[in-house]
Amino acid sequence: MAAKQFVAVLFLTLVLIFANASAIPSNRIKYLNIIKEVNKKGPYLGLVTVYPPEEKAFSQLRPLSLMGSILLWISQIFRLGVAGRRFRIGKVQGKKVIYVRCGVGMVNAASATQQMLDMFDITGIVHFGNAGNVNNSMSIGDVSIPKQFAHTGIWDWLNPNGTLPTNDIAELDFGSYNEPTGDGMNLLGKIGYSYEQFFSELGKPNTAVPLFWAQISEQWLQLAVGLEGMELEKCVNSSVCLPQKPKLVVGLKGSTANIFVDNAAYRDFLYRTFAVSSVDMESFAVVMTSLSNGYPVIVIRGLSDLAGGQAGQNAIQTFGPLAARNAAQVVVKFIGDLS
């Protein structure tokens, strides 16, 4: 009886597979064939940036020589709704690369990275773009290559008199920011910062490991140390320049959350509590996705503003292009130094 049931289940599974295969539109089959051909020319280094200004800065350096002018428009290839993205296949500094712009936020960053790893023959991921600065020893235009990232957006939002869970790593008490001090109760209460759940192909299946700091791949980080001291740009244009020459710093800490930090008090809280020097909305997701799949990863971010440190419009509107150019220059140099 068990054997008959197994045969029946196997037959039904094969029927469903062939039924689904026959339902795949011909254009998807065409793209799958293209991807197969692309992978024959691999492996490739994966490059992931975020939004158009960063892509523009990278393209203006003209580092990417296309391999046979291959441009792929990947749209809904698989039945599980893969978001349409454009992948560019070529060479940077003589190294084969595949480049994609993921879009803003952690969901976009994780899905684009996983999409790249699933579809293409990839050796590792270089993620780059802009970030906000939360460290007073760093300046606009500087480039940071952090050694680790935290996801500072996993919150336990408590009642005003709520008790912090024992596994939370830090607490932000909104009442501490009342103005005037001590005037009544802040009904927002407080939030506790919790751990991420890290699943890895190297771990036990379906078993998560609590993780707060995601570590950048050590070998690539050590390679990046050799880039410190490289020349970076200080001028947006002929009339707008920074007062000091930007620098590259390797080995600080970064913070990621689906939050655009433009508030000085929260910036100071993040720096005091977690000792992070940069804030962005994608890096942790790219790092976690890469590491969970067993791939090396590094993050290179240009600092476009002192988060919440300005009066009026955020400085990213003025210095974002400069920060993106400096980050892109570091990316190209790093790729050139890879063996």
Side-chain angles (χ1 to χ4, degrees):
M1 179 64 69
K4 289 182 178 179
Q5 289 177 340
F6 173 78
V7 171
V9 170
L10 178 61
F11 175 76
L12 179 60
T13 301
L14 291 173
V15 168
L16 291 174
I17 289 173
F18 285 115
N20 287 335
S22 64
I24 298 176
S26 59
N27 64 320
R28 297 187 189 181
I29 296 175
K30 179 184 71 174
Y31 287 132
L32 289 172
N33 289 332
I34 293 174
I35 292 171
K36 183 178 179 181
E37 292 303 312
V38 168
N39 284 333
K40 288 181 180 179
K41 300 179 181 180
Y44 303 87
L45 181 67
L47 307 181
V48 181
T49 193
V50 181
Y51 77 137
E54 297 163 349
E55 184 173 61
K56 180 179 179 181
F58 182 64
S59 63
Q60 285 177 340
L61 292 178
R62 300 191 180 278
L64 185 63
S65 59
L66 297 179
M67 296 172 60
S69 298
I70 300 174
L71 289 178
L72 299 182
W73 177 252
I74 310 299
S75 180
Q76 300 293 324
I77 289 178
F78 303 117
R79 294 181 62 82
L80 296 178
V82 177
R85 289 187 171 91
R86 176 173 291 164
F87 290 80
R88 288 180 169 87
I89 295 89
K91 291 184 178 181
V92 173
Q93 298 284 65
K95 312 293 172 54
K96 297 177 182 179
V97 302
I98 295 182
Y99 164 87
V100 68
R101 170 163 52 90
C102 67
V104 174
M106 296 183 71
V107 172
N108 277 327
S111 62
T113 304
Q114 189 65 60
Q115 187 179 353
M116 177 178 279
L117 295 176
D118 285 342
M119 291 192 299
F120 299 106
D121 184 6
I122 300 297
T123 58
I125 298 292
V126 177
H127 175 53
F128 63 100
N130 285 349
N133 177 27
V134 298
N135 183 346
N136 287 330
S137 69
M138 300 289 285
S139 303
I140 290 175
D142 290 352
V143 175
S144 176
I145 302 181
K147 64 180 179 181
Q148 54 189 186
F149 278 88
H151 179 188
T152 53
I154 304 181
W155 295 343
D156 294 308
W157 201 311
L158 309 178
N159 283 322
N161 296 318
T163 302
L164 198 71
T166 56
N167 63 338
D168 278 2
I169 194 170
E171 171 187 317
L172 171 58
D173 186 350
F174 292 106
S176 300
Y177 294 88
N178 283 355
E179 291 291 345
T181 302
D183 183 27
M185 177 181 287
N186 189 310
L187 297 181
L188 287 175
K190 53 190 174 183
I191 57 175
Y193 289 78
S194 191
Y195 290 83
E196 179 68 79
Q197 291 188 325
F198 180 54
F199 292 86
S200 171
E201 66 173 18
L202 300 178
K204 294 182 179 179
N206 209 35
T207 303
V209 176
L211 181 146
F212 191 77
W213 293 107
Q215 306 291 330
I216 296 299
S217 304
E218 183 63 28
Q219 185 176 358
W220 280 12
L221 196 66
Q222 289 303 313
L223 179 63
V225 170
L227 303 179
E228 289 186 322
M230 68 176 289
E231 192 81 12
L232 298 174
E233 297 182 30
K234 62 179 293 186
C235 294
V236 177
N237 50 46
S238 59
S239 58
V240 179
C241 292
L242 295 168
Q244 74 290 321
K245 182 179 293 186
K247 60 184 179 296
L248 168 64
V249 179
V250 180
L252 300 175
K253 296 180 179 181
S255 162
T256 300
N258 280 319
I259 304 167
F260 182 80
V261 179
D262 196 18
N263 178 278
Y266 188 55
R267 175 195 75 216
D268 291 341
F269 167 81
L270 289 173
Y271 181 69
R272 292 196 315 271
T273 306
F274 303 112
V276 295
S277 295
S278 61
V279 288
D280 66 66
M281 300 172 65
E282 298 82 23
S283 293
F284 183 88
V286 174
V287 172
M288 284 283 282
T289 303
S290 302
L291 294 179
S292 67
N293 285 276
Y295 289 86
V297 62
I298 195 168
V299 175
I300 300 171
R301 288 274 185 164
L303 303 183
S304 58
D305 63 288
L306 177 61
Q310 76 287 338
Q313 192 177 49
N314 190 285
I316 192 174
Q317 304 301 326
T318 302
F319 293 105
L322 173 64
R325 287 203 305 271
N326 281 344
Q329 288 175 9
V330 176
V331 169
V332 172
K333 187 68 168 65
F334 175 78
I335 294 172
D337 287 354
L338 277 174
S339 58

